[in-house]
Amino acid sequence: VMVAPGDRVKVIDLGLAAVAEATLLSVPGMALGTPYYMSPEQWRGAPDEGRDLRIDVYAAGVVLFELLAGRPPFQGLRPHELLHKHLNEAVPRLEPLRAGLPAALQAVVDRALAKAAGDRYASAGEMPVTAAASAITSRSRSRLSSARSRNSR
């Protein structure tokens, strides 16, 4: 994740940047991507599965989870461990990792990280992250105000 001029956030994958000029970026039956951020359909490498913006939505969901929890949703030391988790395990709950997050934010992460591409947002633009971020910011401001009030007594 990089911040571009004008405070625009860009998600980049330097691991694939070197391959960007190649004429063939995927081979049927071969997974291509950065393991922590790969969608289930990328892991499967199935040529008949629709590959569209929902792959990016999945990666954005991983980034959002990581920003909120301080770690990726699925962890493993080897690619086959990550493959199993991305394909089979439920998205971990954020609450034990970061108390006080709104339930609506977990719902955004859950939908972005849905195993079936058709269950995800069609594009990152559909993700209601702004509303969720607002809720976090409002809650943080409220806690800060309460703390200041207690300290000024």
Side-chain angles (χ1 to χ4, degrees), residues 14-146:
L14 297 175
L16 293 178
V19 186
E21 293 183 25
T23 56
L24 183 62
L25 288 177
S26 64
V27 175
M30 180 180 156
L32 183 62
T34 302
Y36 285 103
Y37 304 91
M38 287 172 57
S39 67
E41 56 272 28
Q42 285 175 288
W43 277 109
R44 284 189 289 274
D48 56 339
E49 283 194 67
R51 295 193 179 196
D52 56 22
L53 294 175
R54 291 172 291 192
I55 287 174
D56 293 333
V57 168
Y58 190 90
V62 173
V63 169
L64 180 59
F65 186 100
E66 194 169 5
L67 289 170
L68 295 168
R71 67 168 182 84
F74 304 110
Q75 297 179 299
L77 296 176
R78 296 178 177 84
H80 71 274
E81 293 171 326
L82 289 169
L83 168 113
H84 174 78
K85 291 177 180 187
H86 279 276
L87 293 178
N88 300 300
E89 291 187 8
V91 177
R93 303 291 89 201
L94 287 163
E95 184 64 31
L97 302 170
R98 180 152 172 213
L101 291 177
L105 190 50
Q106 181 73 57
V108 170
V109 170
D110 287 344
R111 185 167 172 196
L113 294 177
K115 302 298 181 202
D119 293 339
R120 291 182 216 133
Y121 299 101
S123 71
E126 287 187 5
M127 293 174 69
V129 175
T130 305
S134 254
I136 293 169
T137 303
S138 296
R139 182 174 282 180
S140 296
R141 284 186 188 138
S142 173
R143 287 181 181 164
L144 182 59
S145 293
S146 296

